Amino acid sequence: MKASTSVAITAFVLVAGFALCALQFPNIASTRVVANLLTDNAFLGIVAAGMTFVIISGGIDLSVGSVIGFTTVFVALAIERWGIPPFAAFALVLVLCALFGAAMGAVIHVFDLPPFIVTLAGMFLARGVSFLLSTESIPISAPIYSAVSDFAIRLPGGGRLTAIAIAMLVILVLCALLLHLTRFGANVYALGGSRAATALMGIPVGPMTIRIYMLSSVLAGLAGIVFSFYTAAGYSLSAVGVELDTIAAVVIGGTLLTGGQGSVIGTFLGVLIQGMIQTYINFDGTLSSWWTKIATGVLLFVFIALQQGLMALARRSSVKPAGAKPVGART
Amino acid sequence: MTLRIPRRGLAQAFALIVILMIDRAVSPQFFNLHLQDGRLFGSVIDVLNRGTPVALLSLGMVLVIATGGIDLSVGAVMAIAGATAASLADTHSLPVVIASALGVGLVCGLWNGILVAILRIQPIVATLILMVAGRGIAQLITEGRIVTFTSPDLVWIGNGAVFGLPMPIVIAIGMLLVTAAVVRGSALGLLIEATGGNARASELSGVGTRAMILSVYVWCGLCASLAGVIAAADIMGADANNAGLWLELDAILAVVIGGTSLFGGRFSLVLAVAGALIIQAMNTGILLSGYPPELNLLVKAVVVLAVLLAQSPRLGDLSRFTARWRRTKP
């Protein structure tokens, strides 16, 4: 299966879904709604970009939701209680996130442990530390927060492209460039294809693993900063369960959870599809919020079944040219 | 049937005893028991009682992990089963209520099992679907409300007692005995371990790996729904949002603490339950000590890391290496 096929399918589902929504509620097809879609899902887009790298390399990062929660609390405390200037606080928290991600990557590589359980420990750790910092919601009143929330590029049709939406788009473009055009990106794909073969090729598997988890945690930290702009507060319970939405977005975007295949643009489309479901349910008014979860689950299933089917087709067509009968397909 | 007492259980038994001793140190009346209205009360009973849901989940989870799989949906299945039981409790008799809740769990397990065994989807992805959608389904059943009930029959499942032991504990012990009898009383356990060890090789040697994988997910769904019924009976209601929230992670943790490798291939039921008790003894200890419960997650994280490092194959290599180095040194 070509990676472009799955991205094309995701794009088709997004466009078709959007057309169906617009048919029922013409107001959805406005720059206002689309721009809000970008703003509301900005933090999800950023954290999902990092998750894409991790999943393509054959790993998983369950700690991202907790890292977002930790970042919002840390930033709020640093600015409001400890009197650290906002940008210094941002830099400080990103360094902490980088160290945290590097530590998880190092444990995964050095002790040869499954990423699932190591990042699970990371999830408990980050959430535990943010609980210890503060269990109450801390409002942030720094001037930069109101300045940023006031800033927006006005689009024709009344839409407002907000600063955090722009931040997401910029980060996504940078991540796409990093993944698809650099040696680092090529190595990420190689790791997901086969760890052993990658090591034999002379690619430093350990440092790569550390850098990938570092990237994921730093992007989760950035998502946390964006989230703190979005809510103008820090709260230790924020972004609970976001790791699941993120993984769902990445999978819907055509990235294989077995690793080796995927793209940042697909992930972005996956985030938009989830946002679209949410918007449709808000517009409908009679549907309740739990339909979002069910619809996301159904879509997840459809996409996984599609991937599975396409891969089976690809296997069959790769056997044919050899002129042999399909080998008794009992695998 | 012979219940094998594995040598590797020593570490877990030791850990449990140490934690219980720490609990005893922070709360001197920890081991005190008293009988009231035909039911035993005391901190130890509390640990057992509160540990029941995770213990039940880990009974199913340990078999799934033994086949090399994982089931992320157990928390959501708990919520669905709890919602089903609570919404039927006041209008139907107890057997009908329990049967429908368990039936729902069975269907959920079957769904997971079909995705993993027949469609051959990676377990973590396959069960992620129900994990995401399941809580939505539970909310659909309760229509977003917290459904409460007054049926004394169902309440008895959560608060009743047999021979002084609270019902949840009795159910958990019963399930442990049934699972152990079925799995270790026959070759089934061995076949499950073979499937987890090397699915291809065991299929070639005649093991029905598909049937094995399908049935462990069904069993896991069944255990999860039972845990859901107990959780609902305990609070006399079903909260689709919070019932069983994050318990899937606790169950996986319990299994890992119990020495079962996430790569599959071997398992121990008793040690998985011991893992669940270790987690609960830790939680109760923190509550009794008066430290902020926020510390709970941090302690858990440290314990996970310690267990992981102790089990790490690399650490084994390292200790063998140092032992050899010591031998060769004159």
Side-chain angles (χ1 to χ4, degrees):
Chain A
M1 179 177 66
K2 275 188 185 157
S4 53
T5 321
S6 52
V7 173
I9 294 170
T10 312
F12 174 75
V13 169
L14 179 63
V15 172
F18 194 79
L20 279 178
C21 292
L23 219 61
Q24 199 176 348
F25 306 106
N27 286 338
I28 281 189
S30 68
T31 55
R32 195 182 294 240
V33 173
V34 174
N36 282 350
L37 200 67
L38 292 178
T39 306
D40 295 340
N41 295 291
F43 79 100
L44 190 61
I46 295 170
V47 70
M51 186 70 88
T52 312
F53 282 82
V54 177
I55 292 182
I56 290 176
S57 78
I60 197 151
D61 189 350
L62 295 180
S63 72
V64 289
S66 303
V67 171
I68 294 178
F70 165 76
T71 306
T72 64
V73 175
F74 186 88
V75 165
L77 280 177
I79 296 175
E80 296 297 319
R81 302 264 167 87
W82 308 331
I84 299 176
F87 283 104
F90 297 159
L92 196 60
V93 81
L94 289 181
V95 168
L96 287 177
C97 289
L99 290 176
F100 178 73
M104 287 197 302
V107 170
I108 290 169
H109 174 73
V110 173
F111 295 101
D112 203 10
L113 292 168
F116 182 89
I117 201 88
V118 173
T119 55
L120 176 64
M123 171 190 185
F124 287 148
L125 195 72
R127 193 66 77 184
V129 170
S130 43
F131 279 149
L132 277 191
L133 284 177
S134 168
T135 49
E136 51 199 81
S137 178
I138 308 150
I140 307 174
S141 55
I144 172 148
Y145 272 73
S146 47
V148 166
S149 63
D150 286 341
F151 176 83
I153 298 175
R154 298 214 168 264
L155 299 174
R160 293 174 77 249
L161 196 61
T162 56
I164 59 176
I166 296 169
M168 169 182 71
L169 293 175
V170 169
I171 289 172
L172 278 169
V173 169
L174 290 179
C175 283
L177 293 177
L178 181 65
L179 181 62
H180 300 297
L181 294 180
T182 63
R183 183 178 294 267
F184 176 81
N187 289 352
V188 171
Y189 281 104
L191 265 184
S194 164
R195 264 189 120 67
T198 311
L200 288 174
M201 272 181 346
I203 295 169
V205 174
M208 275 300 294
T209 308
I210 292 174
R211 272 179 228 152
I212 290 168
Y213 284 92
M214 228 165 116
L215 179 69
S216 171
S217 289
V218 167
L219 284 172
L222 273 173
I225 294 172
V226 164
F227 197 78
S228 75
F229 275 104
Y230 184 61
T231 57
Y235 185 34
S236 52
L237 272 175
S238 53
V240 165
V242 158
E243 46 280 328
L244 288 182
D245 295 340
T246 312
I247 296 169
V250 172
V251 170
I252 291 175
T255 299
L256 290 186
L257 259 170
T258 38
Q261 201 171 85
S263 64
V264 172
I265 175 85
T267 298
F268 176 58
L269 297 177
V271 169
L272 287 187
I273 287 182
Q274 283 201 31
M276 189 187 69
I277 297 172
Q278 185 72 54
T279 309
Y280 175 81
I281 284 162
N282 288 348
F283 260 76
D284 187 273
T286 60
L287 288 175
S288 308
S289 61
W290 51 80
W291 281 104
T292 321
K293 290 176 187 159
I294 297 178
T296 307
V298 170
L299 263 182
L300 253 179
F301 172 64
V302 169
F303 273 88
I304 291 164
L306 257 176
Q307 286 180 353
Q308 210 73 3
L310 283 173
M311 283 210 297
L313 273 179
R315 260 201 301 275
R316 193 166 299 169
S317 62
S318 69
V319 168
K320 263 180 199 157
K325 270 191 241 170
V327 190
R330 280 179 64 88
T331 44
Chain B
M1 189 194 89
T2 50
L3 249 180
R4 292 190 304 182
I5 299 177
R7 270 170 306 166
R8 58 194 161 107
L10 288 175
Q12 283 80 5
F14 182 70
L16 186 57
I17 291 169
V18 167
I19 291 176
L20 288 176
M21 284 304 134
I22 295 174
D23 288 350
R24 168 78 169 65
V26 292
S27 156
Q29 62 273 38
F30 186 78
F31 287 108
N32 292 2
L33 290 176
H34 60 101
L35 200 65
Q36 195 178 324
D37 303 330
R39 182 190 186 279
L40 282 168
F41 283 88
S43 298
V44 177
I45 295 291
D46 205 47
V47 168
L48 290 172
N49 207 9
R50 299 270 153 243
T52 304
V54 176
L56 281 174
L57 292 183
S58 63
L59 272 181
M61 187 73 81
V62 71
L63 295 184
V64 169
I65 291 181
T67 64
I70 202 156
D71 190 346
L72 296 181
S73 70
V74 289
V77 173
M78 268 183 81
I80 301 177
T84 311
S87 48
L88 293 178
D90 282 337
T91 48
H92 294 76
S93 66
L94 186 65
V96 177
V97 172
I98 304 258
S100 353
L102 295 189
V104 167
L106 199 125
V107 172
C108 290
L110 201 60
W111 159 262
N112 284 333
I114 288 174
L115 291 189
V116 176
I118 315 281
L119 298 184
R120 299 190 182 280
I121 298 174
Q122 234 191 319
I124 180 172
V125 192
T127 54
L128 179 70
I129 298 172
L130 195 56
M131 183 183 190
V132 172
R135 235 163 251 289
I137 296 171
Q139 281 172 316
L140 195 66
I141 296 172
T142 63
E143 292 171 332
R145 294 191 301 267
I146 294 179
V147 174
T148 55
F149 58 87
T150 50
S151 156
D153 290 344
L154 190 51
V155 171
W156 181 74
I157 298 279
N159 297 327
V162 176
F163 303 124
L165 275 180
M167 257 323 267
I169 302 178
V170 175
I171 295 175
I173 293 174
M175 282 300 276
L176 174 62
L177 291 180
V178 168
T179 319
V182 171
V183 172
R184 291 302 187 194
S186 67
L188 208 57
L190 211 60
L191 299 184
I192 290 173
E193 287 177 328
T195 305
N198 186 335
R200 178 122 181 85
S202 12
E203 186 155 338
L204 288 176
S205 52
V207 179
T209 48
R210 278 192 193 190
M212 285 304 135
I213 293 174
L214 197 65
S215 46
V216 293
Y217 282 94
V218 169
W219 187 248
C220 193
L222 213 60
C223 289
S225 58
L226 199 53
V229 172
I230 291 177
D234 188 33
I235 61 166
M236 291 205 252
D239 180 353
N241 266 322
N242 295 316
L245 195 62
W246 306 127
L247 284 197
E248 53 275 338
L249 299 178
D250 275 7
I252 296 168
L253 190 57
V255 171
V256 173
I257 291 179
T260 300
S261 156
L262 275 180
F263 300 112
R266 65 168 193 182
F267 69 91
S268 161
L269 293 169
V270 178
L271 291 186
V273 172
L277 292 183
I278 289 175
I279 296 175
Q280 189 55 45
M282 240 157 45
N283 291 350
T284 307
I286 289 173
L287 275 178
L288 288 176
S289 68
Y291 280 114
E294 291 85 57
L295 214 63
N296 221 326
L297 279 176
L298 272 186
V299 173
K300 234 185 242 178
V302 173
V303 170
V304 183
L305 277 175
V307 170
L308 277 180
L309 295 187
Q311 285 183 9
S312 158
R314 287 286 177 89
L315 211 64
D317 293 349
L318 207 66
S319 62
R320 262 198 301 281
F321 176 76
T322 49
R324 202 163 51 211
W325 180 72
R326 244 181 252 136
R327 262 204 310 275
T328 50
K329 224 170 63 166

